[in-house]
Structure formats: structure tokens, C-alpha cells
Amino acid sequence: MTGEALLTVDGLVTKFDAADGVVHAINGVSFDIRPGETLGVVGESGSGKSVTMMSLLGLIPSSVGRIAAGTARYRATSGEVDLLKLSERQFGRIRGREIGMVFQDPISSLNPVMTVGRQIAESLQRHLGLGRRESRSRAIEMLARVGIADPSHRVDDYPHEFSGGMRQRVMIAIALAAGPRLMIADEPTTALDVTVQAQIMALVRELQAESELAVIWVSHDLGVVAGLADRVLVMYGGTIVESAGVDDLFENPQHPYTRGLLASIPGTGLAGSRLASIPGTPPSLQHELKLCPFADRCSHAIDRCARERPGLTPISADHSSACFWDIDASRQRDGVAVIAQREGM
Amino acid sequence: MSSLTDSVAPAARSAVPNPLARIARNYYLRRVAQSIALMFGVIIIVFMLVRLTGDPASLMVAREADAEQIAEIREIYGFDKPVVEQLTTYLGDVVTGDLGRSFLYRDSTLELIVSRFPDTLILAATALAFALIIAVPLGVAGGSNPGRPIDKLARFVGVLGQVTPSFWLIMLLIVYVGVKWGLLPTNGVGTWKHLVLPAFALSVGAMGQFVRLTRSAVLEVRNEDFVRTARSKGLARRAVARRHITRNALLSLVSVVGVQFTYMLGGSIYIESIYARPGLGQLLDAAVRARDFPLVQAITIFIAGFTIIMNLVTDVLYGLLDPRIRHGG
């Protein structure tokens, strides 16, 4: 987990063109991930987790959205590329081959009229140039690797013949078939029940132990991320508000939003006590973000938060927060970067 | 030893299957059984309808026939017997391939139908081919490029095809392509040239429907999650379009193709009469005009039977193409 980053995202901005104006979905997201590392990305719906991942793989349809700024340097086997500037054709050698993706709903994410074996084989034929027979036996191997029993028979089955958890294993087999070094999993266990969720998480850990596979695991479930990630990004309003090692984040959260999230996990309070929640609603992303996105829901907000937008600033080694206020010391933090200001202030 | 028989017994019991239960489990057998039952239902209804309209004997004779002649007809055709007896006799005849004798042609109705049907079948099959060859590529191209000129063309063809009456179009084609420009024959059968105008006229309705259906199916499938998965595998745009989008989109076309094909048999009545093609449609037209009620009845049953078989073929085809139907109990 040491050494050079596999992927370095810097200042990603993604916008959508809606009927009633521009939606500023991603407002400057920067992070990196090293080989073999597991990066958890948490945040509520609409915080920009999925859009960030789709942006990195060029899966935002050009008819609805565009990447307005940023770089995403990926160390591919053939040399470094900027994912945000690739053509559709160039992406063909990245998707599946370098970066595999697993989606949330395994039944709708698999082609219903194609056997799982062929869906795995497609990737092998495309990226490794394997023939029909070779790719089929490799597909059987992949099914065995992701823990499907009797893979040589199951390879000819269709997605509807598998259970939810088995389908997600098939999705992982598809994503990893051509041997990518990064797997992006977008809420892969959200549609599964808890025991199956644990099995899938265990499987991913096993697969990571076999190779230097880096994993970006997107979830709105802090519990899942706590059990899996090395490092965690907390997203809010299309920005990263806090980034820290997993233990550090849970023991010493710095951003008021992260604290709110942790406080609202059921089971941490007394039995029968009211569930904690964060008052207010997520921010509208209709305007360019020039103030702290969390300011109007934050109990620690000061005047400055409504005028200036704090940048993600290091607090200690490998722990950053985007907040002007130091909650523990009850005073403004020094040296917080200001990355935007409202005009006329 | 006893433990062995104990363990074998339950398996042996389930291995002696109730044949009905086995038919119910197998999708194809179930559909065949349903079709046979339906065919009998159709024959009974056609048989009863004729009797509901009054004395069939009076339908079969000239208007000026006297009571004696009618009574004679009644006896010849067995109309004086109880209805249930007539029905069982008729069902027996149908099962053995006897659909009655034509009044007009003084010949076996089945032989008449069999001699005329190939022409109609070729016409309808050619029309279906025209419709598919034009509609599928146009629908796929339109659905893949929403809002572009090709999509506007697809939508235009879709609506135009569905609102154009084929009997009007065939007359227009005869007048312009046949008479004024002299490019193709104006009537009759013979060469492939005789097939072009009537088949095209017969195809436009289906063509319109196919274009619209293909287009909307492609539009829908494009946004499916599995298409995103296919793209995330790094497949080329073409491969995604062909293997994942088009294949799934065309599934919804299968059932409609079968239905349209049987509609075309009905549509051939006008086209064949206008273009003077001696097919089944023209035979039916002549039979109705001449009040040849055994022939009308035979053609009705024949077309109904053909429709049922087409539906069966469609369902079997569907089962082969969509594994979810094949396995879904």
C-alpha cells in the first residue's frame, strides 16, 4: 500500500444540463488511491459519490452532462493517462482492462438473455484476445474464483437462475475478468441482505489478498466502509468534506458533517432513545458552490461559512477536513484554504 | 436392503409422472395442448355461428328456391338431424381432413384452399420480409440517435405506414408504377415482378408498427443498467449496440411479427382482389359474393387454424430467444 498512487484525481468538476439550468453535481473533488488499497467513499444520496465514479470511467452520457475541469492521472500498464481526457475509443482499453466496475443492482446490471459465461467471456475476448473456447474456460475459472459452486455447469446459466448474492459474485467476475488493477464498486452490497453483504465483502478482501487490486468502495453505509476500507472519503454536496484513515475517521472525526453521520448510526445511543439525525436537507446544487455546502445545516457554522468555501486542508498526516471551525478547540482553525468566495462580499 | 428401498421409493414415485402434470411443466407441451383446445373451440364457434344466423340450407340455395328444394338440401347436408349430432359428425370430418364441399366450385373445399394458399403465403411472407428489412434497420438507427434526422425519418415512416390503407396504396401503385411509368406489372401472378407491388402495399401497416416498436424498444434498452455494464467492460460501441441493445430490443418485436403475419393473410383479401392474384383472399372474396357457405366456413377455420399455429410458433420462438420465459414455470 505504499509507493506511488495508482490513480490521482485532482479538481474534478462535473456538471449536468437540466431543463431548469445547470446542476453542479461535482464541485472539485481530489483524492488518490494506491495499489492494493481500499478506499471507502461515503455520503448520502446526491452527494456525488456515483457521479464521481461514472466521471472517471467516462460513463456520463454527453447528452446530459460534462466534465468541466480536473485531471485524473491513472498509471496504466502502458503508461500514464488522464482519464478525464480520453476519447470513447481510448476508454475501450481502460474499462474492463485497467479498471473494472461493479454496480448496485446485480439483476438489472446483467444482460438477461446472455449466459453469465458469455458476459464474462466478452471482456476476455475484447481485452486478452482469447478465442471462444479459451475464454469459456477462463470464465469458468473466474466463476470458481468468486466462489460460485459447480462453475463448469453454471457458466451456461442465465442471470435469473442465480440468487442476488450469486449475481453480485458474477458481476465481480465480469469486472475482474481481464485482470484490472482497480475495481470501482458502486454500492455493491446495498441491494443484498446483511449476511450476503458480509460474504461479498469477505470475497473482495480475499481477491485483494491474491493480487495488488485497489478497490474504491462506494457506500452510504458507514458500517460496511468501516469493515472494509483502509481510508475513507466523506462526500457532501459534490465535494469531499473529510478524508482520513478508517480508524482515525471513526475515532477522531473532524468535520461536523462526519460527526453528524456517525451520531446517526443506529445502535450507538441508548436503547429506546431517539435516533439522532442531521437537521435540514442536502444542498441544492443549482448554483456554483461558493460557500460551505453544509453551512445551513451545521450547528457550528460561523459567519464566514456563508461567505467562503473551505478547501480540504490537512489536519495531520493523512487526515484532512474542509471546515473553518475546530470543534474540539472551539475556535477557528488556522490555515484553512479558501477555494471560493461569494462575489460582492 | 430395506434402507435402500426406502431411499429409492420416493424417487421412483415421482418418476412415474402424471402425464398431465408433465405437460403442464413443459412450456412447449403446454402451449401445444392449449393450441389444440383452442382450435376445437374455434371450430365449434364457427359451426354454431352459422346455425345462429338461421337455416343454413336456405343460405345455400338460390333465393327463388321452393320449400321442397330446401328440404332436399337439408337432407343432403344432414341439417335435419339434431345439432349435437351434426357437430360430432362435423368435428369427425374436420379431424379426418374433410372440410366440406364447395357449392360454387363443386370441389373439396380443402383442395381449393390448398391450391390457392401457397400464392397467399408467398405474398404475405414477401410483405413481411419487406416490412422487416426496412423497419428494423430504420427503427434501430432512429432509436440509437434520438432527435437526429434519421430518428425523425423513422418516426415519419412509422406514422405514415400505420395510417396508409393498403387497398388505397395498391391502386395508387398500379396507376403510377404499373400504368404511367410502366415499371412493373399491373396485375396477376407469374414472375417476381408480379410480387413487388402487392407485397409492398400489404407491408406498409406492419412496417409502420415495426419501425415504431423497434425505435421505442431501442430507446428503452439503451438506458438499461446492463448496457452500462457492457460499456464498463470496455466493449466497443458497435458491440454494445449489436449484442446488448439490438438483441434485447428485437425480442419485443417477435410477438408482433407473428400477429402481423396473420393480419396480412386477412389483408390479402383486398390486395389479391384488386391485383387479380388467384390466392386465398380472392377465393374468400368469391365465396362470400356467391354465398358459398361451406367454402366460407372452411376458409374461416383454415385461417383460424393457421393463426393458432403462427401464435404457437411465435411462442416457441420466444421461448428459444428469451431464457426467462423458457425457465419461468
Side-chain angles (χ1 to χ4, degrees), chain A residues 290-292 295 302-308 342 345:
Chain A
K290 290 186 170 171
L291 67 165
C292 173
I302 52 177
D303 291 350
R304 201 182 170 190
C305 303
R307 287 196 314 263
E308 295 173 338
R342 284 167 77 176
M345 294 261 170

Side-chain angles (χ1 to χ4, degrees), chain A residues 64-282:
Chain A
V64 295
R66 65 206 135 90
I67 289 160
T71 58
R73 291 192 310 279
Y74 178 80
R75 248 178 345 108
T77 19
S78 55
E80 194 177 276
V81 292
D82 183 348
L83 297 178
L84 304 184
K85 298 191 174 53
L86 293 182
S87 67
E88 184 66 23
R89 197 186 185 81
Q90 290 167 316
F91 255 124
R93 285 202 299 276
I94 297 293
R95 297 188 196 127
R97 180 76 184 97
E98 294 283 349
I99 304 174
M101 189 145 183
V102 176
F103 297 98
Q104 177 172 343
D105 184 1
I107 187 60
S108 66
S109 297
L110 290 167
N111 188 338
V113 300
M114 201 185 264
T115 64
V116 299
R118 284 207 53 206
Q119 295 190 54
I120 299 170
E122 267 192 325
S123 179
L124 295 163
Q125 287 164 358
R126 162 82 174 158
H127 297 296
L128 308 182
L130 298 185
R132 220 166 229 280
R133 196 168 300 172
E134 271 177 306
S135 60
R136 188 186 142 88
S137 59
R138 278 289 288 275
I140 295 172
E141 277 169 40
M142 279 311 298
L143 287 176
R145 249 182 87 192
V146 297
I148 304 269
D150 196 14
S152 51
H153 285 105
R154 300 294 274 171
V155 70
D156 294 321
D157 282 351
Y158 290 89
H160 70 270
E161 296 171 87
F162 290 82
S163 67
M166 290 296 151
R167 281 181 205 136
Q168 199 55 287
R169 286 172 191 263
V170 170
M171 276 299 294
I172 292 171
I174 291 174
L176 300 184
R181 291 187 299 156
L182 172 62
M183 180 172 91
I184 298 178
D186 190 357
E187 305 249 9
T189 59
T190 305
L192 306 175
D193 60 49
V194 182
T195 49
V196 179
Q197 189 171 311
Q199 290 165 8
I200 296 289
M201 285 164 65
L203 170 68
V204 170
R205 268 194 297 260
E206 270 171 49
L207 293 169
Q208 273 185 299
E210 291 169 18
S211 62
E212 279 278 82
L213 180 70
V215 174
I216 299 179
W217 190 287
V218 176
S219 179
H220 63 257
D221 187 337
L222 281 166
V224 169
V225 165
L228 199 77
D230 301 312
R231 244 178 347 124
V232 182
L233 305 177
V234 181
M235 288 196 70
Y236 187 81
T239 68
I240 294 172
V241 293
E242 187 160 2
S243 157
V246 66
D247 297 334
D248 207 8
L249 187 94
F250 282 88
E251 281 159 24
N252 183 26
Q254 286 302 309
H255 197 281
Y257 176 68
T258 313
R259 291 200 177 188
L261 269 188
L262 291 173
S264 57
I265 297 175
T268 51
L270 290 168
S273 67
R274 208 178 161 82
L275 278 175
S277 64
I278 303 171
T281 52

Side-chain angles (χ1 to χ4, degrees), chain B residues 99-174:
Chain B
L99 290 179
R101 285 183 71 78
S102 162
F103 206 68
L104 180 65
Y105 296 92
R106 316 245 168 221
D107 201 353
S108 151
T109 51
L110 190 63
E111 263 169 43
L112 280 167
I113 291 169
V114 167
S115 71
R116 299 291 196 96
F117 188 56
D119 253 337
T120 302
L121 199 61
I122 289 169
L123 176 67
T126 311
L128 190 70
F130 275 168
L132 286 172
I133 288 166
I134 296 174
V136 169
L138 190 58
V140 169
S144 308
N145 301 286
R148 300 274 186 78
I150 187 75
D151 183 37
K152 291 191 174 123
L153 179 70
R155 272 151 56 190
F156 179 71
V157 171
V159 173
L160 193 70
Q162 283 196 295
V163 300
T164 305
S166 57
F167 62 85
W168 173 79
L169 183 65
I170 185 66
M171 290 191 271
L172 210 67
L173 289 172
I174 290 171

Side-chain angles (χ1 to χ4, degrees), chain B residues 19-328:
Chain B
L20 277 179
R22 218 174 91 211
I23 288 170
R25 260 201 307 277
N26 184 305
Y27 172 70
Y28 302 114
L29 289 178
R30 199 169 67 227
R31 286 296 293 118
V32 171
Q34 282 169 359
S35 297
I36 293 169
L38 186 60
M39 192 63 230
F40 270 99
V42 167
I43 293 170
I44 292 167
I45 288 170
V46 171
F47 179 87
M48 287 304 184
L49 274 180
V50 174
R51 269 93 194 144
L52 279 178
T53 56
D55 184 357
S58 66
L59 282 174
M60 293 173 68
V61 295
R63 263 191 211 113
E64 53 276 8
D66 56 33
E68 212 170 294
Q69 283 171 301
I70 292 177
E72 194 185 338
I73 293 280
R74 223 175 256 152
E75 215 185 305
I76 292 172
Y77 285 90
F79 295 141
D80 51 347
K81 302 205 178 83
V83 174
V84 178
E85 194 188 324
Q86 288 181 47
L87 179 61
T88 47
T89 313
Y90 186 67
L91 282 177
D93 288 349
V94 170
V95 169
T96 54
D98 178 8
L99 290 179
R101 285 183 71 78
S102 162
F103 206 68
L104 180 65
Y105 296 92
R106 316 245 168 221
D107 201 353
S108 151
T109 51
L110 190 63
E111 263 169 43
L112 280 167
I113 291 169
V114 167
S115 71
R116 299 291 196 96
F117 188 56
D119 253 337
T120 302
L121 199 61
I122 289 169
L123 176 67
T126 311
L128 190 70
F130 275 168
L132 286 172
I133 288 166
I134 296 174
V136 169
L138 190 58
V140 169
S144 308
N145 301 286
R148 300 274 186 78
I150 187 75
D151 183 37
K152 291 191 174 123
L153 179 70
R155 272 151 56 190
F156 179 71
V157 171
V159 173
L160 193 70
Q162 283 196 295
V163 300
T164 305
S166 57
F167 62 85
W168 173 79
L169 183 65
I170 185 66
M171 290 191 271
L172 210 67
L173 289 172
I174 290 171
V175 169
Y176 283 92
V177 183
V179 179
K180 289 207 169 152
W181 304 334
L183 296 174
L184 290 163
T186 56
N187 61 62
V189 285
T191 64
W192 63 269
K193 286 183 180 171
H194 290 91
L195 206 53
V196 177
L197 293 187
F200 183 76
L202 190 56
S203 75
V204 289
M207 193 185 294
Q209 199 197 9
F210 294 169
V211 170
R212 287 168 52 122
L213 204 79
T214 308
R215 178 185 171 271
S216 63
V218 167
L219 271 176
E220 206 182 294
V221 175
R222 260 160 57 94
N223 292 322
E224 295 278 358
D225 287 347
F226 65 77
V227 173
R228 187 180 58 185
T229 305
R231 290 186 65 203
S232 78
K233 275 189 258 190
L235 297 184
R237 208 173 264 280
R238 249 166 196 283
V240 175
R242 201 181 54 238
R243 288 206 285 266
H244 293 275
I245 300 176
T246 308
R247 236 208 99 182
N248 279 279
L250 291 187
L251 268 183
S252 52
L253 205 60
V254 173
S255 56
V256 189
V257 167
V259 172
Q260 279 292 351
F261 190 63
T262 52
Y263 279 173
M264 281 173 175
L265 293 179
S268 69
I269 296 171
Y270 314 109
I271 302 288
E272 286 180 346
S273 302
I274 297 168
Y275 204 77
R277 285 180 63 88
L280 193 62
Q282 206 201 37
L283 185 69
L284 182 60
D285 184 54
V288 170
R289 282 176 204 282
R291 293 157 54 96
D292 185 353
F293 122 86
L295 186 54
V296 172
Q297 185 174 278
I299 295 177
T300 309
I301 287 173
F302 182 81
I303 291 183
F306 188 79
T307 305
I308 289 171
I309 290 169
M310 275 308 299
N311 287 347
L312 184 63
V313 168
T314 304
D315 284 352
V316 170
L317 208 60
Y318 228 135
L320 290 176
L321 293 173
D322 192 336
R324 288 168 296 184
I325 293 175
R326 194 157 67 233
H327 299 125

